[in-house]
Amino acid sequence: MLNHIVIMGRLARDPELRHTQTGTPVATFRMAVDRDFKDKNTGERQTDWIDVVAWRGTGEFVSRYLAKGRMAVVEGRLQMREWTDKEGNRRTTAEVVADNVYFADSRRDGDGGDRGGSYGAPGYGGGYGGGRPAAPAAPADYGAAPAGDQFAELADDDGDLPF
């Protein structure tokens, strides 16, 4: 069976890092994810509030580098978890168990501290997850318009391809 989910949104609060009794790190956070379409009556986009759980190194990465308001992309699986509330009622919660988490924005100007290091342009860089390397950081001038014609003819071009 296939259970794969990818969401992109802003963290609704700072991630909370805890450790299990055996010492395994786990971070929990909530993301505000806007829907792709607008409401017919109000003309505004609705927002879904999605709980995310990140284990081990991914959880440590999230708690160290992401904070409330940061845009992130989460890849993982949807999981339904049952629990009992204080009144003894059975409850069910849907949450995303993160396999990979990536930055989806660049570091905001004036954003200091260890959180949210600069990893290039939106959609690039910084991520942690199940063994796949993070995308390379984008060059500093990503998206900048060319300063002019940057192509030049080669003086000794014989027309042969080098491969």
Side-chain angles (χ1 to χ4, degrees):
M1 297 297 157
L2 179 65
N3 183 356
H4 186 80
I5 187 167
V6 178
I7 58 173
M8 182 170 125
R10 295 199 179 274
L11 272 71
R13 63 178 183 254
D14 289 341
E16 180 182 333
L17 181 67
R18 293 176 287 144
H19 292 81
T20 64
Q21 292 177 352
T22 59
T24 305
V26 57
T28 56
F29 57 99
R30 178 170 278 191
M31 290 184 63
V33 179
D34 289 338
R35 294 187 182 174
D36 290 338
F37 54 90
K38 295 181 180 179
D39 184 278
K40 288 181 181 179
N41 298 325
T42 64
E44 294 181 10
R45 293 183 192 270
Q46 290 185 335
T47 301
D48 292 309
W49 301 89
I50 301 173
D51 292 322
V52 181
V53 178
W55 290 88
R56 297 175 185 79
T58 306
E60 290 175 332
F61 169 83
V62 166
S63 69
R64 183 170 181 188
Y65 293 107
L66 295 179
K68 179 181 178 179
R70 288 296 308 259
M71 181 77 74
V73 175
V74 174
E75 287 182 317
R77 61 185 168 86
L78 185 62
Q79 173 177 286
M80 305 302 288
R81 183 171 51 87
E82 292 185 3
W83 52 283
T84 305
D85 66 13
K86 293 179 181 178
E87 289 81 39
N89 299 317
R90 300 280 298 167
R91 302 283 184 184
T92 302
T93 300
E95 57 193 11
V96 173
V97 178
D99 292 327
N100 298 295
V101 177
Y102 304 95
F103 293 120
D105 62 359
S106 59
R107 183 171 155 182
R108 294 183 297 267
D109 292 335
D111 186 17
D114 195 19
R115 292 186 177 271
S118 180
Y119 280 84
Y124 278 87
Y128 190 89
R132 287 196 331 208
D141 63 348
Y142 177 80
D149 187 11
Q150 298 177 351
F151 295 98
E153 290 293 324
L154 298 175
D156 60 344
D157 185 13
D158 61 3
D160 287 337
L161 296 175
F163 48 88

